[in-house]
Amino acid sequence: MVLGRGLLGRWSVAELGAACARLGLGPALLGSLHHLGLRKSLTVDQGTMKVELLPALTDNYMYLLIDEDTKEAAIVDPVQPQKVVEAVRKHGAKLTTVLTTHHHWDHAGGNEKLVKLEPGLKVYGGDDRIGALTHKVTHLSTLQVGSLHVKCLSTPCHTSGHICYFVTKPNSPEPPAVFTGDTLFVAGCGKFYEGTADEMYKALLEVLGRLPPDTRVYCGHEYTINNLKFARHVEPNNTAIQEKLAWAKEKYSVGEPTVPSTIAEEFTYNPFMRVREKMVQQHAGETEPVAAMRAIRKEKDQFKVPRD
């Protein structure tokens, strides 16, 4: 189905979403609409820490992190550099830092161009395969973005050098933020391309899961609806999953992001964070959390997403 500019010009994202629903065309067509640039950005103001979600490619997110005290900024996974430069200019910020979660092209593929557009940037990451890397980090490495404190968390599995970035404002009552790339998604986790179930268990439960419960989670992709449909398959009677899915469908239908979540929320509906729960283990046919993690990841890799 081809949508011409005239149709897109006359209809809002909400109207198009409603039309898709009435016609039973669902997320597939909406996904193509998002691909045409109708996904909305969102700015989350956490006092002196401001985060702008910048939709990229088909379902990626880049994140512009701004310290309001100094106007210094960092960008997480700048796969579309020109869009980043425009956002920085809009906020009147000074971009100093690139935080790369992992080497895959849809996260690190814009680094080389961005450093040409903005010379002198510090490019952080945990993998030598990351383009334009200037500062290689390891678990618990720290850095500053203005007055914001950034702690690097090693979460190998999706890739062996994957890093999540935990950001706090010292002596602030505002919740922290964590940028999780393709390790933790809303209601899901990344595929185990270069790691094991044991590594993902440690990443989700022992590293990210031990962050403050109110930590806002900014993940690398808009995968929420499909993740929640799998979560519903694992735990059909979990009301937290049902409520989050209804909410996510509404957000998606008007082009709005379903990010951020919080660490506390993820423990209520994310099956990969819930592998210690009896209901998840029973579904997996396992009695041990790592084995359950392995089983449900294998199942999700083959999961046929239902239309409803």
Side-chain angles (χ1 to χ4, degrees):
M1 183 175 182
V2 177
L3 290 169
R5 288 185 181 177
L7 175 61
L8 290 176
R10 290 197 303 270
W11 285 13
S12 70
V13 176
E15 290 168 332
L16 287 164
C20 289
R22 284 197 302 273
L23 294 169
L25 296 171
L29 178 56
L30 262 182
S32 68
L33 297 179
H34 280 212
H35 186 61
L36 289 169
L38 295 178
R39 294 169 64 208
K40 298 175 186 175
S41 63
L42 172 72
T43 300
V44 180
D45 200 336
Q46 300 186 207
T48 53
M49 183 196 309
K50 182 182 284 185
V51 179
E52 182 167 9
L53 288 68
L54 297 172
L57 307 178
T58 306
D59 51 36
N60 280 69
Y61 285 114
M62 309 179 290
Y63 296 102
L64 182 62
L65 171 68
I66 303 170
D67 173 35
E68 287 289 80
D69 282 351
T70 63
K71 284 295 182 181
E72 189 172 328
I75 185 71
V76 180
D77 292 349
V79 65
Q80 290 185 244
Q82 192 57 48
K83 195 169 186 177
V84 172
V85 171
E86 290 165 7
V88 171
R89 190 176 300 127
K90 178 185 78 174
H91 287 283
K94 176 176 173 53
L95 186 65
T96 62
T97 305
V98 176
L99 303 175
T100 312
T101 60
H102 62 295
H103 76 280
H104 287 165
W105 75 270
D106 58 324
H107 296 263
N111 287 8
E112 307 266 6
K113 183 178 178 184
L114 185 60
V115 299
K116 289 177 182 173
L117 292 172
E118 298 284 335
L121 289 176
K122 294 172 284 189
V123 180
Y124 293 87
D127 196 314
D128 291 325
R129 294 172 290 183
I130 291 169
L133 186 70
T134 63
H135 293 69
K136 189 174 181 182
V137 298
T138 56
H139 189 53
L140 304 183
S141 295
T142 60
L143 60 121
Q144 294 288 130
V145 177
S147 65
L148 302 178
H149 182 77
V150 183
K151 183 183 288 185
C152 305
L153 304 175
S154 178
T155 55
C157 184
H158 182 71
T159 68
S160 59
H162 198 294
I163 298 287
C164 297
Y165 297 95
F166 177 61
V167 185
T168 56
K169 168 74 173 179
N171 305 313
S172 169
E174 284 127 23
V178 65
F179 298 90
T180 58
D182 286 4
T183 292
L184 171 61
F185 299 122
V186 180
C189 73
K191 291 185 177 180
F192 302 177
Y193 286 129
E194 296 181 1
T196 65
D198 185 63
E199 285 179 312
M200 187 58 82
Y201 178 85
K202 288 175 181 172
L204 296 183
L205 280 299
E206 296 179 0
V207 177
L208 298 174
R210 290 178 181 169
L211 297 177
D214 63 347
T215 301
R216 288 180 170 149
V217 177
Y218 295 93
C219 61
H221 291 269
E222 183 60 63
Y223 289 164
T224 304
I225 290 176
N226 285 354
N227 285 345
L228 286 163
K229 287 179 178 180
F230 178 71
R232 181 182 62 186
H233 169 71
V234 174
E235 293 188 272
N237 299 317
N238 183 326
T239 56
I241 294 170
Q242 296 162 11
E243 290 167 5
K244 187 71 172 181
L245 179 56
W247 173 87
K249 286 178 177 178
E250 178 62 29
K251 286 284 188 182
Y252 192 83
S253 74
V254 294
E256 293 181 359
T258 62
V259 177
S261 61
T262 68
I263 293 294
E265 287 175 19
E266 293 298 329
F267 275 114
T268 69
Y269 51 63
N270 187 328
F272 300 96
M273 298 282 280
R274 292 174 56 78
V275 291
R276 296 179 295 202
E277 302 293 328
K278 283 287 181 278
M279 291 301 294
V280 175
Q281 292 181 8
Q282 285 173 13
H283 174 87
E286 301 287 352
T287 57
E288 191 274 325
V290 174
M293 176 78 74
R294 185 179 301 109
I296 63 171
R297 180 68 257 180
K298 185 176 181 181
E299 183 180 15
K300 188 171 192 300
D301 289 344
Q302 309 297 326
F303 184 63
K304 298 282 192 295
V305 181
R307 295 182 68 176
D308 67 323

